[in-house]
Amino acid sequence: MIPKAAQLLGLAMRARKVVTGEEQVITAVRNGQAHIVLLAVDASENTAKKVKDKCSYYGVSCVTTGDRHSLGHAIGKDGRVTVAVTDGKLAESIQRLLT
């Protein structure tokens, strides 16, 4: 994961604009709260397909980046497989850095 994107993700976490965990992320996507979803490269095939399909259906950007430990480290937690950012401006900035 790019260091600047990790910093922005940490900032979003401190601002309480991050949702983690597969079910919570999918709920945020369904409810229109998630602006971008970050998926770890070492996510299981089942989880990756489920999250990507939901993001595709609801028109939410899904970016595969870093492993579960780098995603978790960026938000100050243990390993995380899926992370959704619920703030539009932070999500735009993170996406610009990762694509």
Side-chain angles (χ1 to χ4, degrees), residues 9-99:
L9 194 55
L11 180 68
M13 182 66 182
R14 289 189 296 281
R16 297 177 185 247
K17 299 294 183 184
V18 168
V19 178
T20 66
E22 181 182 345
E23 292 305 318
Q24 290 87 347
V25 166
I26 288 175
T27 301
V29 169
R30 273 194 204 123
N31 295 339
Q33 297 170 331
H35 292 278
I36 186 173
V37 174
L38 303 176
L39 183 65
V41 294
D42 57 351
S44 71
E45 285 183 31
N46 188 28
T47 299
K49 181 180 180 342
K50 191 180 203 182
V51 171
K52 286 179 182 178
D53 287 351
K54 283 291 179 201
C55 288
S56 174
Y57 182 79
Y58 287 98
V60 176
S61 178
C62 182
V63 179
T64 304
T65 180
D67 62 359
R68 66 182 65 214
H69 300 294
S70 67
L71 270 179
H73 181 73
I75 61 172
K77 303 281 185 192
D78 290 334
R80 294 289 194 263
V81 175
T82 57
V83 176
V85 178
T86 59
D87 181 81
K89 295 293 182 185
L90 282 169
E92 284 178 26
S93 298
I94 291 170
Q95 183 161 8
R96 204 173 319 114
L97 288 169
L98 294 176
T99 53

